[in-house]
Amino acid sequence: MKKNYDVIVVGAGPAGSMAARYAAVQGVSVLMLEKDRDVGYPVRCGEAISKAGVEEFIAPDEKFIASHVWNFSMTSPDGTEVTIPLEQEGYVLERRIFDYELAKSAANEGAEILTRAYVYDLILEDNRVAGVKYEYRGEKHEAYAKVVIAADGVESRVGRWAGLKTHIHFSDMECCVQYTVSNLKVDPNTVYFYFGSHVAPHGYFWVFSKGATTANIGLGISGTVGKKRSALSFLQEFMEKHHPEASVLTQIAGGVPCSITLEKISAPGIMLAGDAARQVNPLSGGGIASGMIGGSIAGRIAGESVKMNKPDHILSYDKAWADRLGKRHETFDRIKNGIYNFSDEKFNSIAHSFAKVSPDKRTLGNLFRTALFNNPSLLIDVAKVFLK
Amino acid sequence: MSEKKLRMAKNAKLMIDILPDKCDFCGCCVGVCPDDAIELKEAEIYIIDERCTNCAKCVWSCPIEVIKFNKDGVYEK
Ligand SMILES: Cc1cc2nc3c(=O)[nH]c(=O)nc-3n(C[C@H](O)[C@H](O)[C@H](O)COP(=O)(O)OP(=O)(O)OC[C@H]3O[C@@H](n4cnc5c(N)ncnc54)[C@H](O)[C@@H]3O)c2cc1C
């Protein structure tokens, strides 16, 4: 097995594949290591994304689009539902195919990919990361690289071995469980969100349609809530109440780090991307698009650094990410913390106000504005969120 | 037992068990572990005894209740 590469990427999720592709496209040698047998499986994701989020990296293709989303529905704790047409199309993906296509796009630029390759340590030399140690089909191997990109997802252990503080405070971890179910009736073009202390305190509950009879149904709650009650118990209760007829095709668990980006996402010889760098949008918990963006920036800069023979160039990644999305995520995080503290009554009053808006005037922006005009106290909350 | 008391129990017996048969290997616990004390492979998981401080963050963050206090641990909700 080859022992030297310019760039080694750990993890073949959306962030890893884009890092591998954007490095490889510059003609540098790239190896991507994935611990699981298959890229894209198991799918630990609700699979919702905006069309624009996909298009930046890959041409939308029906083979990985389970449904086209045009409406956003929000149900408040007292059961008031408001539906809002989206100005921009969204998708619910088939990530087992989508992630595969992303990895293929990296391979097509020349990146080598190994699956069932578990990275268990880093090679450190002269205070910098110089490569990785990995197990591949029962045998131990070492490989050296000028840059290691850790895109190892929520676990984020690789960064830790390089001395970066990557562990997530458990109050920022959205602890999730999701069923993919069939035999239920949903509008195939709507994503449904449910809020409130009885469905998903400090988080939200989602129903993302994958066609007219299939959907991803799940929720996330903060680790603080998990102290008292598990995500699974909320899901079971919801299913019994709302969809007793549904059959469960898959159950998955997962964690979404919902916080601002890590203070440092690069250090000599190493860069972090995707969930491992905490590049998830902390308000929505969406991390597919932002992970691809983070990965692509990391890969581009890693490739440039190799070609210019300037190892320190990788340290410019932190700022490049902050300018593209990191700073915006700081605002989203403040809003998230505000919404976390909304009472059920507040969610209800927002839904009631918005239900009065005529259907043709319903936009997500208007939802925010209506909520503010009709709930002066909310204005103070949002102001607090922005001014903090 | 409060978080702090559990931490003071460092060097005490390992108080936490992961039930591997029920685990989904999702990595939530690994992400919140401040001591890098959980090893997770494709379908294999265990606590690294000498690193674990019984802080219990993994117990609270497990979405499907497969990390539990064992008979040496005390768990009050
Ligand atoms: C229940 C749930 C629902 C979600 N819903 C949505 C949604 O609707 N929309 C959205 O945009 N986002 C959603 N997210 C978030 C989204 O799934 C992640 O943000 C996204 O997958 C992050 O991509 P990534 O490449 O950083 O990490 P991942 O996709 O997690 O990929 C990391 C990869 O690294 C591998 N790996 C880890 N450690 C090692 C190692 N030591 N050696 C080798 N390989 C390793 C893993 O096996 C994995 O394949 C959801 C998450 C969860 C848990």
Side-chain angles (χ1 to χ4, degrees):
Chain A
M1 247 172 225
K2 228 176 105 177
K3 280 209 156 270
N4 285 288
Y5 289 85
D6 292 319
V7 177
I8 292 177
V9 179
V10 184
S17 284
M18 288 307 95
R21 173 168 130 196
Y22 280 75
V25 74
Q26 299 175 66
V28 306
S29 66
V30 178
L31 172 67
M32 178 160 70
L33 300 168
E34 166 55 51
K35 73 169 163 48
D36 292 346
R37 193 186 60 188
D38 288 295
V39 171
Y41 182 82
V43 179
R44 301 189 190 284
C45 190
E47 307 180 285
I49 188 169
S50 70
K51 180 174 182 233
V54 171
E55 272 174 343
E56 184 172 347
F57 297 99
I58 189 166
D61 188 327
E62 290 306 318
K63 74 180 164 204
F64 56 70
I65 297 173
S67 68
H68 294 255
V69 179
W70 288 107
N71 302 301
F72 169 98
S73 148
M74 166 194 159
T75 302
S76 69
D78 67 3
T80 309
E81 182 184 355
V82 288
T83 307
I84 304 162
L86 296 171
E87 282 141 68
Q88 270 204 17
E89 188 178 357
Y91 301 132
V92 178
L93 297 170
E94 286 294 352
R95 267 194 69 184
R96 63 172 78 193
I97 302 170
F98 181 73
D99 283 24
Y100 215 76
E101 289 301 313
L102 294 181
K104 262 163 74 179
S105 76
N108 290 341
E109 297 299 343
E112 284 176 44
I113 301 172
L114 280 185
T115 63
R116 290 187 68 188
Y118 173 66
V119 174
Y120 65 91
D121 207 354
L122 289 173
I123 304 171
L124 302 171
E125 279 176 7
D126 309 323
N127 287 322
R128 54 177 294 120
V129 174
V132 300
K133 300 180 185 177
Y134 65 100
E135 263 172 37
Y136 177 61
R137 298 177 195 269
E139 277 176 34
K140 293 200 160 152
H141 299 270
E142 292 190 353
Y144 285 79
K146 293 174 184 138
V147 185
V148 171
I149 299 178
D152 55 330
V154 66
E155 291 105 297
S156 59
R157 294 185 71 205
V158 177
R160 263 171 249 189
W161 301 330
L164 296 167
K165 279 210 180 70
T166 65
H167 81 266
I168 301 133
H169 196 277
F170 77 107
S171 61
D172 285 334
M173 182 69 99
E174 284 293 308
C175 310
C176 306
V177 59
Q178 175 182 278
Y179 291 152
T180 301
V181 305
S182 226
N183 189 31
L184 85 169
K185 279 208 177 64
V186 279
D187 178 78
N189 308 113
T190 300
V191 285
Y192 301 85
F193 292 82
Y194 298 79
F195 296 90
S197 59
H198 64 301
V199 287
H202 285 198
Y204 62 80
F205 198 105
W206 66 83
V207 176
F208 295 165
S209 322
K210 297 184 84 172
T213 61
T214 307
N216 289 334
I217 302 189
L219 75 145
I221 52 175
S222 140
T224 331
V225 176
K227 253 177 161 173
K228 299 190 192 77
R229 212 184 138 179
S230 73
L232 182 61
S233 70
F234 282 100
L235 180 57
Q236 287 165 339
E237 190 180 306
F238 185 93
M239 294 306 289
E240 270 163 34
K241 214 162 139 190
H242 297 279
H243 298 292
E245 76 291 1
S247 341
V248 177
L249 303 176
T250 316
Q251 178 193 313
I252 55 96
V256 187
C258 290
S259 69
I260 56 169
T261 310
L262 290 176
E263 215 174 294
K264 265 180 85 176
I265 54 173
S266 63
I270 188 165
M271 306 165 91
L272 312 185
D275 283 12
R278 290 197 241 147
Q279 288 172 333
V280 175
N281 173 336
L283 181 58
S284 68
I288 310 169
S290 59
M292 291 194 289
I293 290 170
S296 67
I297 301 173
R300 172 178 60 76
I301 293 178
E304 287 167 3
S305 146
V306 170
K307 281 176 60 187
M308 298 189 300
N309 197 17
K310 275 198 187 149
D312 283 354
H313 178 58
I314 66 168
L315 306 178
S316 67
Y317 170 48
D318 292 54
K319 183 169 186 306
W321 163 257
D323 291 345
R324 175 73 203 269
L325 277 182
K327 282 182 202 143
R328 203 181 313 164
H329 283 187
E330 289 176 15
T331 307
F332 289 156
D333 190 58
R334 285 197 291 275
I335 299 176
K336 177 199 93 169
N337 290 327
I339 293 179
Y340 258 25
N341 295 319
F342 278 10
S343 63
D344 284 0
E345 291 71 40
K346 193 153 282 178
F347 279 121
N348 289 334
S349 81
I350 295 170
H352 296 166
S353 317
F354 201 70
K356 291 184 201 135
V357 174
S358 73
D360 57 313
K361 293 218 172 73
R362 291 183 187 176
T363 62
L364 277 181
N366 262 346
L367 172 67
F368 231 31
R369 277 188 285 276
T370 314
L372 293 182
F373 279 128
N374 292 285
N375 296 268
S377 64
L378 184 73
L379 185 61
I380 297 166
D381 282 325
V382 173
K384 264 198 244 156
V385 158
F386 277 103
L387 297 174
K388 224 191 342 213
Chain B
M1 202 186 271
S2 75
E3 203 176 308
K4 208 162 176 189
K5 278 191 193 145
L6 281 161
R7 268 223 170 258
M8 280 160 57
K10 195 167 178 167
N11 301 326
K13 275 191 198 159
L14 186 64
M15 294 177 181
I16 293 161
D17 282 342
I18 301 181
L19 312 175
D21 292 344
K22 296 192 176 161
C23 179
D24 196 36
F25 312 102
C26 75
C28 210
C29 55
V30 181
V32 298
C33 178
D35 302 299
D36 195 30
I38 304 174
E39 187 72 43
L40 168 64
K41 299 186 186 176
E42 182 171 16
E44 189 184 329
I45 189 160
Y46 56 88
I47 296 177
I48 305 168
D49 197 341
E50 62 274 20
R51 291 193 197 161
C52 176
T53 60
N54 292 321
C55 79
K57 297 198 166 75
C58 56
V59 178
W60 298 325
S61 64
C62 178
I64 53 173
E65 301 172 48
V66 304
I67 312 186
K68 306 258 189 200
F69 286 94
N70 63 26
K71 62 179 176 18
D72 295 317
V74 190
Y75 185 28
E76 287 166 17
K77 284 203 174 185

